[in-house]
């Protein structure tokens, strides 16, 4: 494999990045008070931005719907008896994971200062995130547990809440471990336990799973080029080898990048051999949720 | 004074311009020979030739040699080796008993532990081997066992799962665990071996010990030599197994995340991570497993190799997808992605956003 072109050095989503940076640079000092006290807070994260401003999936005629992840998470939490405070973009800013990992420490510090102040104002005890990157950022880089706010990935929150799931039809699924949730935060079991609860879903492990999981390749929105696409393709090929029908991810970013490549391949149907769908775990669980008559 | 300085600066600038021009001319001729391509490792870059023998290596080695020699001279002059009493030819045994060097004490211990192998069957007395032969053979057997361990291990692995799969994932999916906590049995065996060698060394100086501590007789020492290593191995197994049951993580969170607690605002953290990188003994597993490197080919992009060559030319730092697979496989738990994060932060300090 030889390469004559130099590597691309631009970050592929200038609009998305510019918006977050502008957001960070705009001071927002106004005090904020939630209407009532909540035990749990739910942070949708940049799912708010995606698909609305970025038009991410329109590049390849895709149908990745990120807002449904947040909706599904709220539905599942309500079914589990949790009434979360939605910490959306009206009062909060992006958690700054991408900026930190791109090295833009100044931007990250401003986002962190703002979000930390808002966290204290919100008065929540436990922060729930659907995004593995957000989970790592709040737990480690913000050090929220050190300030009295527990941080949980939503799979940890929903685990052991007595939820019942039934798949509409028998389906063979797998779980793609996000690198932030698995290798960095050490949470492998919670999503698997949730998937085991689903009636009619057969869980298989990919060739590389748990701490050996392959990455989706575009962590922190750094690159989308041939090299990272090759990483993703390798991961999807493993799904084909395991003869799965749905690949589940624990992070909206994984969902986004995998789905993007799938859609891109489907524009030219002769090339690909990936006959399965990528879904976020929240979307899958919410579709399988058995509503109990109350 | 000011004029002198101005002249100096002017001369310097002229020299630099001449050098630049010469370099540019040379580069242009290079470019005509082959298509320009960005160098991705220190070995490819045409302007970096490594450290020359003269003067760099020669000066460094000379300084080190002279330094060591001067220390030897100093020691010989001011701390002369002790001359003990003259040996007494009439004495029954030498006092204190002569001993081999410390690193051979375990072999000496083997000789002391060994016994004459003789037995009597049906009135016939068989004399198989003397303690000398037996003790020497035991040393060879111990070394042989140590050498044979990897072969036995691989043979067992092959019997269990013959035929490794094709592709890059061999490194991760084949072989057994590399960290002690993931394989307490092997770790316990290793601890047993080390403790046994230490105890053999201690046993070999039993005559000297009895002189100073009469309570520690040879029988006591023999018991400790036999059972002590087993106890160490058992305790190791119990401890590691409990840590594994507790779900112990490779590093404490404190150590792992100190970078983020304090913020990456000073260059001090860089020294910490340079230090952590120094734990690397270059087994190369991270390099084998790196997804970017695997997809790009060895000669194209070699992120971790470049880091250890101190080659932060940008490509390595910005091509890393920070997936953490190198950390997952690293026997030393080096957090390479933390290093990448910090390098990026330092690179962008003060940059316009």
């Amino acid at each position: 494999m030889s390469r004559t072109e130099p590597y691309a050095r631009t970050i592929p989503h200038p609009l998305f990045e510019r918006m977050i940076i502008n957001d960070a640079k705009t001071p927002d000092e106004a005090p904020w008070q939630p209407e009532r006290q909540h035990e749990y807070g739910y942070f949708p994260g940049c799912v708010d931005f995606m698909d609305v401003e970025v038009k991410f999936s329109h590049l390849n005629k895709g149908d990745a719907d990120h807002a449904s992840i947040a909706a599904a998470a709220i539905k599942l939490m309500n079914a589990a008896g949790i009434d979360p405070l939605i910490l959306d973009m009206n009062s909060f800013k992006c958690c700054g994971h991408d900026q930190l990992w791109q090295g833009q420490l100044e931007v990250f510090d401003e986002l962190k200062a703002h979000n930390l102040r808002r966290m204290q104002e919100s008065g929540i005890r436990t922060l729930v995130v659907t995004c593995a990157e957000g989970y790592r950022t709040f737990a480690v880089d913000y050090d929220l547990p050190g300030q009295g706010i527990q941080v949980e990935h939503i799979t940890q929150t929903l685990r052991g809440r007595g939820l019942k799931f039934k798949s509409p039809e028998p389906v063979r699924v797998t779980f793609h471990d996000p690198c932030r949730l698995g290798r960095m935060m050490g949470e492998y079991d919670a999503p698997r336990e949730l998937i085991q609860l689903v009636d009619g879903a057969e869980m298989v492990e990919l060739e590389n799973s748990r701490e050996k999981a392959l990455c989706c390749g575009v962590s922190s929105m750094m690159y989308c080029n041939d090299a990272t696409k090759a990483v993703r393709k390798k991961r999807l090929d493993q799904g084909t080898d395991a003869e799965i029908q749905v690949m589940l991810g624990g992070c909206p970013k994984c969902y986004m990048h995998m789905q993007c490549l799938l859609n891109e391949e489907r524009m030219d149907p002769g090339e690909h051999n990936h006959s399965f769908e990528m879904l976020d775990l929240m979307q899958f669980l919410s579709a399988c949720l058995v509503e109990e008559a109350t | 004074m000011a004029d002198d300085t101005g002249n100096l600066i002017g001369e310097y600038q002229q020299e630099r311009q001449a050098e630049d021009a010469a370099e540019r001319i040379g580069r242009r001729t290079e470019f005509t020979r082959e298509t320009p391509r960005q160098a991705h490792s220190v070995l490819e870059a045409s302007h970096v030739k490594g450290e020359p023998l003269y003067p760099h290596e020669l000066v460094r080695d000379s300084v080190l040699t002279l330094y060591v020699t001067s220390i030897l001279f100093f020691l010989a002059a001011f701390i002369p080796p002790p001359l003990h009493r003259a040996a007494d030819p009439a004495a029954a045994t030498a006092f204190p008993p002569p001993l081999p060097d410390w690193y051979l004490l375990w072999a000496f211990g083997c000789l002391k532990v060994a016994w004459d192998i003789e037995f009597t069957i049906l009135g016939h007395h068989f004399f198989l081997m003397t303690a000398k032969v037996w003790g020497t053979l035991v040393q060879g057997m111990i070394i042989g066992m140590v050498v044979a361990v990897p072969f036995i291990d691989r043979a067992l692995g092959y019997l269990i799962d013959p035929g490794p799969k094709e592709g890059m994932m061999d490194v991760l999916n084949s072989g057994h665990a590399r960290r002690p906590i993931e394989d307490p049995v092997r770790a316990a065996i290793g601890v047993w071996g080390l403790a046994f060698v230490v105890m053999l060394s201690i046993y070999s100086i039993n005559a000297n010990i009895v002189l100073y501590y009469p309570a520690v007789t040879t029988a006591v020492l023999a018991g400790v030599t036999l059972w002590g290593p087993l106890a160490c191995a058992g305790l190791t197994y119990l401890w590691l197994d409990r840590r594994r049951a507790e779900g112990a993580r490779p590093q404490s969170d404190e150590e792992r995340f100190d970078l983020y607690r304090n913020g990456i605002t000073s260059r001090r953290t860089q020294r910490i991570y340079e230090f952590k990188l120094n734990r690397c003994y270059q087994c190369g597993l991270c390099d084998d497993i790196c997804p970017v490197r695997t997809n790009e080919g060895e000669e194209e992009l070699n992120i971790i190799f470049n880091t250890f060559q101190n080659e932060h030319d940008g490509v390595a730092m910005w091509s890393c997808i920070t997936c953490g697979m190198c950390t997952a496989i690293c026997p030393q738990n080096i957090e390479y992605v933390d290093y990448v994060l910090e390098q990026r932060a330092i690179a962008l300090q003060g940059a316009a956003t």
Side-chain angles (χ1 to χ4, degrees), chain B residues 81-159:
Chain B
L83 287 175
H84 296 290
R85 286 176 295 155
D88 181 7
T93 55
F95 182 84
L99 291 174
D101 287 326
W102 62 268
Y103 48 87
L104 289 175
L105 279 179
W106 68 275
F108 191 42
C110 285
L111 284 169
K112 281 204 172 184
V113 166
W115 63 94
D116 291 337
I117 301 182
E118 51 186 327
F119 45 88
T120 305
I121 301 176
L122 301 174
H124 292 279
H125 188 72
F126 293 95
F127 192 86
L128 195 57
M129 57 177 86
T130 61
K132 269 185 205 168
V133 175
W134 175 227
T136 314
L137 279 181
V138 163
Q139 296 168 28
M141 281 163 63
I142 290 177
I143 298 282
M145 271 162 57
V146 170
V147 171
V149 161
F151 296 98
I152 296 170
D153 223 27
R154 286 193 186 188
L156 287 178
Y158 182 80
L159 287 178

Side-chain angles (χ1 to χ4, degrees), chain A residues 2-7, chain B residues 31 34-40 44 299-301:
Chain A
S2 69
R3 176 184 289 276
T4 49
E5 297 286 313
Y7 288 92
Chain B
F31 281 359
E34 56 178 2
T35 51
R37 189 174 69 76
Q38 192 178 2
H40 295 310
E44 282 185 65
E299 69 285 355
E300 285 292 326
L301 179 69

Side-chain angles (χ1 to χ4, degrees), chain A residues 7 101 105 180 183 223, chain B residues 38 264 296 318 322-323 344:
Chain A
Y7 288 92
W101 285 88
L105 200 63
R180 299 301 192 254
R183 277 188 289 265
Y223 289 101
Chain B
Q38 192 178 2
I264 322 166
E296 288 292 320
W318 299 103
T322 64
C323 64
R344 287 177 179 173

Side-chain angles (χ1 to χ4, degrees), chain A residues 150-203:
Chain A
Q150 291 306 310
V151 185
E152 285 181 354
H153 192 252
I154 185 141
T155 52
Q156 296 167 334
T157 316
L158 296 180
R159 172 165 65 173
R161 295 263 177 185
L163 289 176
K164 288 192 176 61
F165 302 104
K166 182 164 180 15
S167 176
E169 53 189 274
V171 67
R172 198 172 152 91
V173 301
T174 187
F175 184 68
H176 162 72
D177 285 284
C179 44
R180 299 301 192 254
L181 181 63
R183 277 188 289 265
M184 290 197 180
M185 300 306 296
E187 185 57 74
Y188 302 105
D189 293 328
R192 285 180 170 75
E193 279 179 30
L194 278 180
I195 295 171
Q196 302 289 353
L197 289 178
V198 181
D199 237 11
E202 185 194 356
M203 168 84 183

Side-chain angles (χ1 to χ4, degrees), chain B residues 61-77:
Chain B
D61 291 358
S62 309
V63 166
L64 279 176
T65 311
L66 290 174
Y67 180 65
V68 172
T69 314
S70 68
I71 288 177
L72 284 179
F73 270 86
F74 175 83
L75 290 176

